[in-house]
Amino acid sequence: MGRIALIAAAILFALLTIVVPVAAILARAFADGTGAWLAAVTAPDTLAALWLTVLTALIVVPINIVFGLCAAWAIARFRFPGRRALLVIIEIPFAISPVVAGLCFLLVFGAYGPVGQALQPYGIQLMFNLTGIVLVSLFVTCPFVLREVLPVLQADGEDEERAALTLGASGWQIFRLVTLPRVTWALLYGATLATARAIGEFGAVSVVSGAIRGRTMTLPLQVEALYNDYDATGAFAAATVLALIAMLTLALRGLIAAFHPVRGARA
C-alpha cells in the first residue's frame, strides 16, 4: 500500500508540475488556430530571438566541452595545490542566482567596470551584445560537462592509461585512443545538459543583453516581452518553440542514458 501511495504521489506531482503546464502552453498557443501560431512563430523578432538562442548554444557548448574535459582530466589525473578549490570554483554557478551572476558580469565587464573601462578606448564593448550573452551563458553552464565526465574518469582509474604509457604512447595518443573513448558518452550527456541550460537561460541573460528587440533578445526574453505586450498568442507560440527545443534536448539525453548508461552521471 505504501509503495502504491508513493507511486501515485509521484505521478500526481509530475502531472501537476510538468504535464499540465506544458499542455496549457500548447492549448493557449493554438487557441487562435494553426495559422495564428505559424504567423507568431515566423514573426521577424521571434525568428531573430530563435537564431540568437541557437547561435549562443552553438558557441557555448563546444567551449564547455573543451573546458569541462580538460578540467575533469586535470582534477582526476593530477595532484596539485588548489585542486579541491578549483572544483569548488567551477561549481559556484550551481549556488549563485543567475540574476546575481549577470549583475556581477555587468559590474566587471560593463562600461563602468574595470574591464569595460580598459577596453573602451579600443571601441570594444562586452555587454549588451552577443559577447555578453555568451559570457554569462558560459558561466551558468560551465559545471555540467565536468560533473558528468569527472566521476567516469575517477571510477575507471588510470590502469589502461599507464599501460599505454609503458608501451610508448604519447600523452596525446593516450588521451585520444584510451581516455576519450571511455568518456565519450558522459561527454555527450554533459553537453546535452549544458545545451538545455544555455537555451533556457533567462536571469543572467536578461541583465547583460540590453533586451534590444531583433538584436539581443533570446527566445526566453522574447516570450516575456510578448507577454508583457499582451500578445498572448505570440508569447505562447514562442514558448512552444522553446519547449520543443528543450524536450528534444532532454529526449536526446534520455536516449544517451538508455543506450549507454553513464557511470557516475548525475540526473
Side-chain angles (χ1 to χ4, degrees):
M1 181 62 71
R3 183 177 63 178
I4 295 176
L6 288 175
I7 294 174
I11 294 174
L12 179 62
F13 182 80
L15 287 173
L16 292 176
T17 59
I18 301 174
V19 177
V20 172
V22 172
I25 290 174
L26 293 174
R28 187 60 187 84
F30 291 96
D32 297 328
T34 305
W37 176 85
L38 186 61
V41 168
T42 56
D45 286 349
T46 300
L47 288 177
L50 174 60
W51 166 242
L52 181 60
T53 302
V54 173
L55 178 60
T56 301
L58 289 176
I59 296 173
V60 167
V61 174
I63 296 175
N64 263 290
I65 290 174
V66 175
F67 169 77
L69 190 57
C70 292
W73 170 272
I75 294 172
R77 295 293 183 258
F78 301 99
R79 299 294 180 269
F80 52 90
R83 175 175 169 270
R84 293 185 180 275
L86 175 62
L87 184 58
V88 172
I89 290 172
I90 293 175
E91 291 187 334
I92 284 178
F94 283 143
I96 293 182
S97 166
V99 174
V100 174
L103 181 60
C104 292
F105 271 83
L106 190 61
L107 292 175
V108 174
F109 297 100
Y112 300 102
V115 177
Q117 287 183 335
L119 295 177
Q120 266 189 341
Y122 304 99
I124 300 175
Q125 181 178 339
L126 298 180
M127 296 289 104
F128 309 121
N129 52 31
L130 175 63
T131 304
I133 296 173
V134 169
L135 285 174
V136 295
S137 298
L138 282 171
F139 175 82
V140 299
T141 59
C142 73
F144 288 99
V145 173
L146 169 74
R147 294 311 299 169
E148 300 303 329
V149 173
L150 181 59
V152 177
L153 287 175
Q154 291 175 328
D156 285 346
E158 305 178 40
D159 293 343
E160 293 183 18
E161 295 167 1
R162 292 182 181 277
L165 182 64
T166 60
L167 294 174
S170 65
W172 170 246
Q173 287 175 323
I174 294 173
F175 174 78
R176 182 171 59 89
L177 300 176
V178 179
T179 305
L180 189 58
R182 294 157 66 189
V183 300
T184 297
W185 289 101
L187 195 63
L188 291 174
Y189 200 79
T192 303
L193 294 176
T195 301
R197 180 62 190 275
I199 290 173
E201 178 55 37
F202 177 86
V205 172
S206 67
V207 176
V208 305
S209 69
I212 304 172
R213 297 204 179 196
R215 294 180 58 189
T216 64
M217 292 194 62
T218 58
L219 204 51
L221 298 183
Q222 179 71 1
V223 172
E224 184 200 36
L226 291 171
Y227 191 78
N228 289 338
D229 290 343
Y230 302 101
D231 184 1
T233 299
F236 283 101
T240 59
V241 176
L242 191 61
L244 178 61
I245 296 174
M247 285 188 290
L248 289 174
T249 304
L250 293 177
L252 177 60
R253 172 179 176 261
L255 286 174
I256 293 173
F259 285 100
H260 196 288
V262 181
R263 285 171 291 178
R266 300 189 178 194

